[in-house]
Amino acid sequence: MQFSEIPGLPETKEKLINAVKFNHLAHALLFHGPEGSANLTLALALATFMYCENPSESDSCGTCPSCQRMSRLVMPDLNFAFPVIAKEKEEDDDEKTDVLTSWRKFATTLPYGNVHDFIYFNGFEKKQLNISKASARKIIQALSLMSFEGGYKIMLIWAPEFLHPSAANALLKIIEEPPAKTIFMLVTSQADQLLTTILSRTQKISVRAFSDEEITSHLVGTGLCDSKSAEQIAMLADGNMREAYRMVDQVEDKQVSQIRDWFRLCVSKDLKEIFDLADKFHKEPKESQKSLMLTGLNVTREILLKNFDLDSLLRTTEEDRKFINAISKRVLTEDHAMKLYDSFNQAHYHLERNGNAKMIFTDLSMEILVMMAQKK
Ligand SMILES: [Zn+2]
């Protein structure tokens, strides 16, 4: 995670960067902001900046070996603690590795998610979660070892409100006086639920909610949706990026079903219906047209991944998955899908340069129709 990947918040970023530059970073930081704010992403961007081998004035480089490891959260000197299912006895090392892998995936793919998302992500449902005293012992143990790279050791505790009181008490001393070059980053949306003894030992980094403009520019800039939908979503999301992502998924789903219906018409070679659809497409606002082409691009990418049996990389929902499976198995070969990928890209390019939407859509439909006629 780089600072540039987090929309807006220039004042907080500057404060953190200056603290590193002028060497006055406190040894225990508490990132606290409302749900869907950048409290986790800022902590990760700060860690990336601190480990970067070639940082600029305002950000990590994003390409050095450390930045690459940080993008997968596999930096050996960066440790994590987070809530897991409370257990009678300590989990074995295999289980620990599994949840750590799962945590890394969660933090990289849903960095604005909350504890409920984490529970859902892991299938932990309805179980009691905590950060146990055994975990606290492991934290202390990990920090007592030499750093691997000779730089900072960081212990990032996500959702520290889940620290069992015995765990919190066990950590007080080390948070107060950590070993040299050791930094605690506590990340929470529920600072009011933390023990005052923990609170008083941290420097607070208050993270405000995103502004509507920050959410809009992020959604448009990352290609998640067109500017009109982004503005509407930002207004409803009320500064909460988690909520904004959830709404984007709903918009995206609607477009995936449009693509699905369109592909089905092409399979059935119903020319009249296809021309009607081209008319309808022509009348849509430019931004929606472009956005539909991007969804087409995503669907095609999913078909390609499915063709290559790379199921773990698929992002579509269960419902859309059935359609992707059917199309990739029976209808579109890899060669076709590659060509189609290119065609969606071209269509998007021409729409941007004010090409005739009806013609672009009809051409694409014919291309798909011909491809689908040459079944595997
Ligand atoms: Zn770097």
Side-chain angles (χ1 to χ4, degrees), residues 151-175:
Y152 277 103
K153 286 179 80 98
I154 298 176
M155 174 57 73
L156 191 154
I157 307 182
W158 185 68
E161 63 274 18
F162 282 85
L163 276 166
H164 189 275
S166 65
N169 284 323
L171 289 176
L172 288 179
K173 190 167 170 294
I174 194 165
I175 293 181

Tab-separated table of all heavy atoms in Angstrom, residues 151-175:
chain	number	residue	atom	x	y	z
A	151	GLY	N	16.369	-3.118	10.194
A	151	GLY	CA	15.621	-1.864	10.317
A	151	GLY	C	14.575	-1.955	11.414
A	151	GLY	O	14.772	-2.641	12.421
A	152	TYR	N	13.468	-1.274	11.192
A	152	TYR	CA	12.392	-1.270	12.182
A	152	TYR	C	11.668	-2.605	12.236
A	152	TYR	O	11.496	-3.274	11.219
A	152	TYR	CB	11.356	-0.203	11.807
A	152	TYR	CG	11.738	1.166	12.266
A	152	TYR	CD1	12.246	2.111	11.370
A	152	TYR	CD2	11.577	1.530	13.604
A	152	TYR	CE1	12.605	3.374	11.790
A	152	TYR	CE2	11.931	2.797	14.036
A	152	TYR	CZ	12.442	3.713	13.128
A	152	TYR	OH	12.779	4.956	13.549
A	153	LYS	N	11.229	-2.955	13.436
A	153	LYS	CA	10.259	-4.042	13.582
A	153	LYS	C	8.924	-3.385	13.876
A	153	LYS	O	8.846	-2.481	14.704
A	153	LYS	CB	10.622	-4.934	14.765
A	153	LYS	CG	11.798	-5.829	14.492
A	153	LYS	CD	12.095	-6.644	15.725
A	153	LYS	CE	11.130	-7.805	15.788
A	153	LYS	NZ	11.738	-9.020	15.268
A	154	ILE	N	7.926	-3.820	13.158
A	154	ILE	CA	6.602	-3.228	13.376
A	154	ILE	C	5.637	-4.303	13.843
A	154	ILE	O	5.639	-5.418	13.313
A	154	ILE	CB	6.072	-2.575	12.075
A	154	ILE	CG1	7.001	-1.438	11.647
A	154	ILE	CG2	4.643	-2.066	12.259
A	154	ILE	CD1	6.639	-0.789	10.320
A	155	MET	N	4.839	-3.990	14.834
A	155	MET	CA	3.764	-4.879	15.254
A	155	MET	C	2.452	-4.148	15.008
A	155	MET	O	2.156	-3.146	15.664
A	155	MET	CB	3.922	-5.220	16.740
A	155	MET	CG	2.787	-6.012	17.343
A	155	MET	SD	2.424	-7.588	16.508
A	155	MET	CE	3.798	-8.601	17.020
A	156	LEU	N	1.732	-4.617	14.018
A	156	LEU	CA	0.454	-3.979	13.705
A	156	LEU	C	-0.671	-4.788	14.360
A	156	LEU	O	-0.821	-5.977	14.080
A	156	LEU	CB	0.278	-3.903	12.186
A	156	LEU	CG	-0.885	-3.022	11.675
A	156	LEU	CD1	-0.577	-2.529	10.258
A	156	LEU	CD2	-2.218	-3.737	11.665
A	157	ILE	N	-1.387	-4.164	15.255
A	157	ILE	CA	-2.512	-4.852	15.915
A	157	ILE	C	-3.809	-4.292	15.353
A	157	ILE	O	-4.130	-3.120	15.554
A	157	ILE	CB	-2.475	-4.679	17.446
A	157	ILE	CG1	-1.100	-5.105	17.991
A	157	ILE	CG2	-3.592	-5.503	18.102
A	157	ILE	CD1	-0.975	-5.028	19.512
A	158	TRP	N	-4.512	-5.114	14.603
A	158	TRP	CA	-5.765	-4.688	13.986
A	158	TRP	C	-6.925	-5.044	14.920
A	158	TRP	O	-6.973	-6.153	15.447
A	158	TRP	CB	-5.940	-5.386	12.638
A	158	TRP	CG	-7.141	-4.940	11.863
A	158	TRP	CD1	-7.327	-3.716	11.297
A	158	TRP	CD2	-8.303	-5.709	11.548
A	158	TRP	NE1	-8.538	-3.674	10.652
A	158	TRP	CE2	-9.162	-4.882	10.792
A	158	TRP	CE3	-8.696	-7.013	11.841
A	158	TRP	CZ2	-10.393	-5.320	10.318
A	158	TRP	CZ3	-9.921	-7.455	11.369
A	158	TRP	CH2	-10.763	-6.604	10.615
A	159	ALA	N	-7.820	-4.098	15.113
A	159	ALA	CA	-8.961	-4.270	16.014
A	159	ALA	C	-8.513	-4.607	17.437
A	159	ALA	O	-8.913	-5.631	18.001
A	159	ALA	CB	-9.927	-5.328	15.475
A	160	PRO	N	-7.661	-3.746	18.033
A	160	PRO	CA	-7.148	-4.048	19.380
A	160	PRO	C	-8.241	-4.062	20.447
A	160	PRO	O	-7.999	-4.511	21.562
A	160	PRO	CB	-6.141	-2.915	19.643
A	160	PRO	CG	-6.571	-1.807	18.746
A	160	PRO	CD	-7.158	-2.460	17.528
A	161	GLU	N	-9.453	-3.592	20.097
A	161	GLU	CA	-10.552	-3.666	21.067
A	161	GLU	C	-10.900	-5.120	21.381
A	161	GLU	O	-11.603	-5.406	22.341
A	161	GLU	CB	-11.780	-2.886	20.569
A	161	GLU	CG	-12.429	-3.404	19.282
A	161	GLU	CD	-11.778	-2.856	18.001
A	161	GLU	OE1	-10.646	-2.362	18.084
A	161	GLU	OE2	-12.417	-2.935	16.928
A	162	PHE	N	-10.390	-6.059	20.559
A	162	PHE	CA	-10.640	-7.482	20.814
A	162	PHE	C	-9.573	-8.113	21.703
A	162	PHE	O	-9.598	-9.313	21.949
A	162	PHE	CB	-10.736	-8.260	19.489
A	162	PHE	CG	-12.058	-8.085	18.811
A	162	PHE	CD1	-12.294	-6.989	17.988
A	162	PHE	CD2	-13.096	-8.993	19.005
A	162	PHE	CE1	-13.518	-6.802	17.360
A	162	PHE	CE2	-14.330	-8.821	18.392
A	162	PHE	CZ	-14.543	-7.724	17.574
A	163	LEU	N	-8.621	-7.289	22.165
A	163	LEU	CA	-7.606	-7.823	23.087
A	163	LEU	C	-8.314	-8.297	24.347
A	163	LEU	O	-9.050	-7.535	24.979
A	163	LEU	CB	-6.609	-6.728	23.456
A	163	LEU	CG	-5.434	-6.460	22.523
A	163	LEU	CD1	-4.780	-5.132	22.871
A	163	LEU	CD2	-4.404	-7.595	22.589
A	164	HIS	N	-8.100	-9.532	24.703
A	164	HIS	CA	-8.623	-10.031	25.966
A	164	HIS	C	-7.951	-9.213	27.075
A	164	HIS	O	-6.770	-8.881	26.952
A	164	HIS	CB	-8.286	-11.523	26.079
A	164	HIS	CG	-8.937	-12.197	27.230
A	164	HIS	ND1	-8.401	-12.187	28.499
A	164	HIS	CD2	-10.098	-12.884	27.313
A	164	HIS	CE1	-9.207	-12.855	29.301
A	164	HIS	NE2	-10.255	-13.284	28.614
A	165	PRO	N	-8.679	-8.857	28.158
A	165	PRO	CA	-8.046	-8.027	29.194
A	165	PRO	C	-6.705	-8.584	29.666
A	165	PRO	O	-5.751	-7.814	29.874
A	165	PRO	CB	-9.067	-8.026	30.328
A	165	PRO	CG	-10.377	-8.284	29.657
A	165	PRO	CD	-10.100	-9.114	28.447
A	166	SER	N	-6.604	-9.911	29.774
A	166	SER	CA	-5.328	-10.489	30.234
A	166	SER	C	-4.229	-10.243	29.195
A	166	SER	O	-3.071	-10.028	29.539
A	166	SER	CB	-5.482	-11.980	30.502
A	166	SER	OG	-5.775	-12.644	29.283
A	167	ALA	N	-4.618	-10.251	27.907
A	167	ALA	CA	-3.646	-9.998	26.841
A	167	ALA	C	-3.222	-8.534	26.869
A	167	ALA	O	-2.038	-8.203	26.750
A	167	ALA	CB	-4.251	-10.346	25.490
A	168	ALA	N	-4.204	-7.658	27.024
A	168	ALA	CA	-3.906	-6.221	27.071
A	168	ALA	C	-2.938	-5.931	28.217
A	168	ALA	O	-1.945	-5.221	28.041
A	168	ALA	CB	-5.196	-5.429	27.233
A	169	ASN	N	-3.217	-6.540	29.392
A	169	ASN	CA	-2.346	-6.296	30.537
A	169	ASN	C	-0.939	-6.812	30.311
A	169	ASN	O	0.039	-6.179	30.691
A	169	ASN	CB	-2.941	-6.922	31.804
A	169	ASN	CG	-4.097	-6.057	32.310
A	169	ASN	OD1	-4.038	-4.828	32.226
A	169	ASN	ND2	-5.152	-6.693	32.790
A	170	ALA	N	-0.870	-7.962	29.616
A	170	ALA	CA	0.453	-8.533	29.349
A	170	ALA	C	1.264	-7.632	28.419
A	170	ALA	O	2.488	-7.644	28.446
A	170	ALA	CB	0.297	-9.921	28.741
A	171	LEU	N	0.561	-6.839	27.602
A	171	LEU	CA	1.260	-6.010	26.616
A	171	LEU	C	1.626	-4.612	27.106
A	171	LEU	O	2.396	-3.906	26.468
A	171	LEU	CB	0.400	-5.876	25.350
A	171	LEU	CG	0.268	-7.123	24.477
A	171	LEU	CD1	-0.685	-6.848	23.325
A	171	LEU	CD2	1.635	-7.538	23.925
A	172	LEU	N	1.033	-4.226	28.256
A	172	LEU	CA	1.227	-2.835	28.697
A	172	LEU	C	2.694	-2.428	28.759
A	172	LEU	O	3.071	-1.369	28.264
A	172	LEU	CB	0.587	-2.629	30.078
A	172	LEU	CG	-0.936	-2.614	30.092
A	172	LEU	CD1	-1.452	-2.420	31.499
A	172	LEU	CD2	-1.470	-1.523	29.165
A	173	LYS	N	3.490	-3.295	29.349
A	173	LYS	CA	4.879	-2.917	29.581
A	173	LYS	C	5.626	-2.732	28.253
A	173	LYS	O	6.326	-1.734	28.062
A	173	LYS	CB	5.567	-3.992	30.428
A	173	LYS	CG	6.925	-3.540	30.913
A	173	LYS	CD	7.472	-4.443	31.987
A	173	LYS	CE	8.926	-4.101	32.283
A	173	LYS	NZ	9.813	-4.379	31.147
A	174	ILE	N	5.413	-3.666	27.333
A	174	ILE	CA	6.175	-3.590	26.067
A	174	ILE	C	5.675	-2.437	25.187
A	174	ILE	O	6.439	-1.825	24.442
A	174	ILE	CB	6.181	-4.941	25.318
A	174	ILE	CG1	7.256	-4.925	24.213
A	174	ILE	CG2	4.823	-5.292	24.737
A	174	ILE	CD1	7.607	-6.259	23.659
A	175	ILE	N	4.386	-2.093	25.315
A	175	ILE	CA	3.892	-0.938	24.550
A	175	ILE	C	4.483	0.348	25.130
A	175	ILE	O	4.849	1.269	24.412
A	175	ILE	CB	2.349	-0.897	24.534
A	175	ILE	CG1	1.797	-2.088	23.730
A	175	ILE	CG2	1.835	0.419	23.936
A	175	ILE	CD1	0.298	-2.151	23.612
